[in-house]
Amino acid sequence: DILTISISKEGIVFFNMDGKYNRRELLSKMGEKYGIQFTPQETNSFAVLSSLGVPIGSLKQFLTMAPEERELVRQPGIPSDSLNNELADWIMLSRTTNPKLRIAIKGDRDADYPVVKNVITTLIDRKVSRFNLITNMEKGS
């Protein structure tokens, strides 16, 4: 019951939600919202992805790749800025898919602050006031 939003040091936003059945339902809802039909094979691929970092418009193409090909692709991230905030839709539809979800933001300590701020603002704007921040502990000297 955990939704994780990860932010790389390059400011790339990734999304992951537990539960392959919930993920299948979520993909169906996103497809409906954006007018995209996903095949059963694409849905199965999505259900077992470790995390996702591509815009919805590129998702179909990404899911048709073999798993080893996907690992070689540099994912551009899920749009989360004020002009194009697909992350907001992923969050809202995830919460309707699994109302028990707990949300965590995992950020690289070198992550670009404005990206982290955009993600937090997106959560707050969607009435999500409880979430966890996950950071790595610094190594002692």
Side-chain angles (χ1 to χ4, degrees):
D1 293 335
I2 296 177
L3 181 156
T4 305
I5 301 164
S6 301
I7 305 165
S8 72
K9 66 181 175 183
E10 295 85 14
I12 298 172
V13 177
F14 295 90
F15 171 91
N16 188 22
M17 183 174 81
D18 287 346
K20 67 180 183 179
Y21 297 109
N22 286 333
R23 291 170 65 98
R24 285 185 176 126
E25 185 179 339
L26 171 61
L27 184 64
S28 174
K29 289 178 179 181
M30 285 295 287
E32 192 175 303
K33 176 165 182 62
Y34 285 90
I36 301 170
Q37 291 275 65
F38 293 99
T39 66
Q41 294 85 0
E42 292 163 348
T43 302
N44 288 336
S45 292
F46 180 79
V48 296
L49 278 179
S50 59
S51 66
L52 172 71
V54 297
I56 190 75
S58 305
L59 184 55
K60 208 167 169 49
Q61 178 185 0
F62 183 73
L63 293 174
T64 58
M65 294 177 178
E68 54 276 357
E69 287 180 297
R70 273 188 240 133
E71 290 196 20
L72 300 174
V73 172
R74 184 178 183 281
Q75 297 182 51
I78 295 176
S80 60
D81 60 27
S82 59
L83 297 176
N84 182 15
N85 196 338
E86 291 177 11
L87 180 63
D89 293 328
W90 284 107
I91 292 167
M92 291 305 296
L93 294 175
S94 294
R95 292 178 75 208
T96 63
T97 301
N98 181 356
K100 296 186 227 171
L101 271 181
R102 293 174 298 172
I103 298 176
I105 301 171
K106 182 178 181 180
D108 186 284
R109 73 173 185 201
D110 297 325
D112 198 25
Y113 177 74
V115 176
V116 176
K117 183 180 177 218
N118 282 346
V119 169
I120 292 172
T121 300
T122 296
L123 290 170
I124 292 169
D125 288 350
R126 301 312 175 278
K127 309 287 187 247
V128 178
S129 57
R130 293 183 59 154
F131 51 87
N132 297 307
L133 293 173
I134 302 170
T135 59
N136 292 335
M137 291 181 56
E138 289 189 32
K139 293 181 182 176
S141 35

